[in-house]
């Protein structure tokens, strides 16, 4: 307030000079007057998506986005550990949106979704299954294809163990974590202790290193900055609670009857190709699509191929 009052005479003088220069009447000063707010600040900018606020059975509010053709075949994209819905930018900003109804979301503990305290919110398999089910039901999806990247392989496993596959049309496991022991020697695993460090400097540097390890073809500087930004939105207590959660999904994977695509970068350092091969061999009739020269994020590193294959897969799965 003191700063505003001290600037008021200067601002009034500048206004008077401008008025005189243009032949306009000089405004009369009003004591203690507050500057009028700019018109542009009166309203928030329009969102590029339809916003849904989904509430899970355990009370977690999720930030959910809907894109594309409202009448098209349905896809739900589920991001990975420390990530956000923005991981899927090259999908919802692509030609896929002309054909498909796309739903993305920040899962619990991430992005703009709630980040409740308590390890039980992140270690209980059924809570993850219920979260995905809530997204499907509260956005009005009827029979979507689920696309799960990295840690979301566990979320897909949780869902299959709890609800089976009767309410979905198909699944795309994208460099997805479905078997912990097979991934024990992944090079990115050496970074994991830093990701859960209580020291902020250590955590940030580990996050930078992890992001670099996710890509064979690195993102641009601007893209990397955005990714680092939303990765740091996942607090340390969330990271620690999610780490090392069991993955007892084999029995559930063997019962899947809907079409399944397994998409995997051959040069993945975070989830080894052996895990993708395991998923494809375990799910009856699953098809493995390998991406040479690509790391942990084929949907980003080779978006054109990924979008083409996913679009064809969704159309075939919906017709199955």
């Amino acid at each position: 307030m003191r700063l505003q009052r001290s600037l008021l005479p200067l601002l009034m003088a500048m206004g008077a000079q401008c008025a005189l220069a243009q032949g306009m009447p000089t405004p009369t000063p009003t004591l203690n007057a507050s500057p009028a707010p700019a018109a542009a600040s009166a309203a928030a900018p329009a969102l590029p998506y339809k916003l849904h606020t989904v509430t899970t059975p355990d009370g977690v509010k999720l930030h959910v986005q809907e894109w594309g053709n409202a009448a098209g075949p349905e896809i739900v994209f589920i991001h990975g550990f420390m990530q956000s819905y923005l991981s899927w930018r090259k999908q919802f900003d692509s030609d896929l949106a002309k054909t498909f109804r796309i739903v993305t979301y920040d899962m619990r503990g991430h992005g703009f979704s709630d980040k409740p305290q308590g390890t039980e919110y992140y270690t209980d398999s059924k809570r993850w299954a219920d979260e995905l089910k809530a997204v499907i039901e509260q956005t009005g999806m009827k029979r979507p294809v689920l696309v799960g990247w990295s840690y979301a392989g566990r979320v897909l496993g949780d869902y299959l163990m709890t609800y089976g596959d009767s309410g979905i049309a198909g699944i795309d496991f994208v460099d997805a974590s479905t078997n912990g022991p097979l991934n024990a020697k992944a090079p990115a695993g050496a970074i994991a202790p830093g990701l859960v460090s209580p020291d902020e400097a250590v955590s940030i540097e580990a996050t930078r290193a992890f992001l670099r390890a996710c890509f064979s073809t690195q993102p641009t500087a601007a893209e990397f900055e955005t990714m680092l930004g939303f990765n740091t939105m996942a607090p340390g207590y969330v990271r620690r609670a999610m780490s090392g959660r069991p993955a007892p999904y084999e029995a559930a994977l063997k019962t899947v009857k809907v079409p399944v695509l397994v998409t995997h970068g051959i040069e993945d350092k975070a989830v080894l190709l052996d895990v993708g091969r395991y998923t494809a061999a375990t799910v009856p009739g699953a098809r493995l699509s390998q991406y040479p020269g690509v790391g942990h994020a084929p949907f980003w590193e080779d978006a054109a191929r990924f979008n083409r294959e996913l679009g064809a897969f969704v159309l075939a799965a919906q017709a199955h």
Side-chain angles (χ1 to χ4, degrees):
M1 181 60 74
R2 290 180 180 176
L3 180 60
Q4 288 180 346
R5 288 178 177 172
S6 66
L7 287 176
L8 183 58
L10 176 60
L11 293 173
M12 295 303 298
M14 291 173 64
Q17 290 176 0
C18 291
L20 289 171
Q22 299 180 34
M24 297 170 59
T26 304
T28 302
T30 302
L31 191 62
N32 295 328
S34 298
S41 64
L47 295 171
Y49 49 79
K50 180 180 179 181
L51 176 64
H52 297 269
T53 300
V54 168
T55 303
T56 67
D58 59 347
V60 178
K61 286 184 169 52
L62 304 175
H63 186 235
V64 181
Q65 311 80 30
E66 180 179 338
W67 317 80
N69 179 2
E74 300 166 334
I75 311 173
V76 178
F77 288 94
I78 313 160
H79 66 74
F81 181 67
M82 303 191 310
Q83 310 304 309
S84 93
Y85 83 91
L86 290 169
S87 300
W88 304 109
R89 179 177 295 281
K90 292 190 177 184
Q91 284 63 61
F92 60 69
D93 274 350
S94 76
D95 285 345
L96 285 175
K98 296 178 181 178
T99 302
F100 302 100
R101 182 186 178 211
I102 294 172
V103 165
T104 57
Y105 69 100
D106 294 334
M107 57 190 188
R108 62 182 57 212
H110 294 71
F112 280 177
S113 291
D114 282 354
K115 303 170 179 63
Q117 298 276 355
T119 58
E120 67 275 11
Y121 284 97
Y122 309 100
T123 55
D124 183 353
S125 176
K126 189 174 184 301
R127 292 184 192 234
W128 287 105
D130 287 347
E131 174 176 295
L132 177 52
K133 191 170 190 289
V135 170
I136 294 170
E137 291 182 345
Q138 293 179 40
T139 56
M141 293 199 137
K142 305 302 181 186
R143 195 166 163 265
V145 167
L146 308 180
V147 181
W149 172 44
S150 193
Y151 192 94
R154 295 173 178 265
V155 178
L156 293 171
D158 297 328
Y159 184 87
L160 291 171
M161 286 198 307
T162 306
Y163 296 109
D165 63 2
S166 60
I168 60 176
I171 304 172
D172 186 1
F173 289 91
V174 183
D175 292 69
S177 176
T178 57
N179 186 305
L182 277 179
N183 205 46
K185 295 183 179 180
I191 304 168
L195 296 176
V196 298
S197 171
D199 184 282
E200 293 177 29
V202 172
S203 176
I204 291 171
E205 285 308 307
T207 302
R208 290 170 59 89
F210 175 73
L211 277 174
R212 291 299 184 196
C214 283
F215 297 91
S216 181
T217 301
Q218 293 294 311
T220 67
E223 291 168 345
F224 185 84
E225 288 173 1
T226 298
M227 293 173 186
L228 183 61
F230 62 67
N231 269 253
T232 56
M233 294 177 76
Y237 66 87
V238 172
R239 298 182 183 194
R240 287 187 287 274
M242 290 174 64
S243 298
R245 192 163 69 93
Y249 306 127
E250 185 165 314
L253 293 174
K254 289 180 177 179
T255 67
V256 175
K257 296 180 176 61
V258 297
V260 168
L261 176 64
V262 179
T263 302
H264 216 102
I266 291 177
E267 297 184 6
D268 193 342
K269 296 177 181 177
V271 178
L272 297 175
L273 179 59
D274 283 349
V275 179
R277 289 172 174 155
Y278 160 82
T279 306
T282 304
V283 178
R287 178 171 66 88
L288 175 62
S289 181
Q290 302 181 57
Y291 281 61
V294 169
H296 190 51
F299 56 89
W300 193 276
E301 295 180 68
D302 194 351
R305 174 184 167 184
F306 179 90
N307 292 350
R308 183 174 62 251
E309 289 188 356
L310 176 61
F313 173 73
V314 173
L315 292 175
Q318 291 285 358
H320 187 266

